[in-house]
Amino acid sequence: SICKESFWSFVQEFWSVTVVDLIKVRREWDSLEVKTYKENFNIFPSLEDVRQFCHTVIDEGLPVSFDIETFGMRNDPLYLYRANLACIGFATSGEDAICIPFLKRGGFNYWKSDIEEEEVVSLVGELLERPEIVKIGQNIFSFDMPFMQLLGFKVFGECHDTLIEHHVVSVE
């Protein structure tokens, strides 16, 4: 659905969000230009791709957004402790991103060997531990960072949780 619930339910306190969204839709509709976006998304990386990405972020001090995907029984009250890490995605811009899988469909290991997986874990850990690398994510303080810490990863440096920042800017 294009329109948020506030449009249909006439919840006045949310109308400003709906109006802004509809203005964006109208602007796109009226535009003669069809926007295309360059995307450099690597969803099946090799070990060398992971090395190159992590070293580029670290060497250039790029801010990085990250998000994890997990699987398990979501209704389990101990989900955080029992879930499995399926992948972690990193992006350095709206165009450049890598998804580093740990499991394939069916729950099988993505990496060819334990040695490869250990190097990937080490590279990801090094990136997350660098205090000079700014980390950005949605709901990272409540879920992603605690989950990663349970797996042994440490996250240092400046971190921004867009879920919290959104609520600070747009109190609903």
Side-chain angles (χ1 to χ4, degrees):
S1 168
I2 292 175
C3 296
K4 292 180 172 41
E5 182 181 339
S6 63
F7 180 80
W8 302 112
S9 62
F10 301 103
V11 178
Q12 195 166 7
E13 64 185 299
F14 299 123
W15 261 90
S16 61
V17 175
T18 301
V19 169
V20 169
D21 286 348
L22 290 171
I23 290 169
K24 289 178 193 175
V25 168
R26 183 59 193 232
R27 187 173 53 240
E28 290 293 321
W29 183 267
D30 290 340
S31 174
L32 296 175
E33 177 186 350
V34 175
K35 293 183 180 177
T36 58
Y37 301 93
K38 176 187 159 217
E39 293 179 347
N40 180 27
F41 299 164
N42 186 346
I43 59 173
F44 299 109
S46 66
L47 178 57
E48 186 54 38
D49 294 337
V50 175
R51 282 183 192 132
Q52 184 178 355
F53 180 85
C54 291
H55 289 303
T56 298
V57 169
I58 291 167
D59 293 346
E60 296 181 19
L62 299 173
V64 65
S65 64
F66 76 96
D67 184 37
I68 63 171
E69 297 301 328
T70 61
F71 71 89
M73 300 293 289
R74 293 259 182 206
N75 58 351
D76 182 348
L78 297 174
Y79 179 79
L80 185 66
Y81 302 96
R82 295 183 180 155
N84 293 292
L85 178 63
C87 64
I88 181 168
F90 289 104
T92 55
S93 72
E95 298 174 347
D96 298 303
I98 188 170
C99 177
I100 302 173
F102 290 94
L103 298 172
K104 296 190 281 190
R105 287 182 191 248
F108 300 103
N109 287 339
Y110 177 83
W111 300 101
K112 295 175 186 160
S113 70
D114 290 344
I115 294 171
E116 275 193 4
E117 184 172 327
E118 287 170 11
E119 183 174 348
V120 169
V121 167
S122 177
L123 289 162
V124 168
E126 183 181 0
L127 190 153
L128 292 173
E129 289 178 13
R130 291 292 182 122
E132 69 274 15
I133 304 298
V134 176
K135 290 94 176 168
I136 305 157
Q138 177 82 2
N139 200 27
I140 61 173
F141 292 150
S142 297
F143 185 78
D144 297 47
M145 287 171 57
F147 185 85
M148 297 297 284
Q149 288 170 347
L150 286 172
L151 296 178
F153 291 96
K154 296 178 178 114
V155 182
F156 296 120
E158 184 178 338
C159 296
H160 297 269
D161 189 319
T162 59
L163 181 68
I164 294 170
E165 290 177 355
H166 166 76
H167 288 294
V168 169
V169 173
S170 180
V171 179
E172 296 177 318

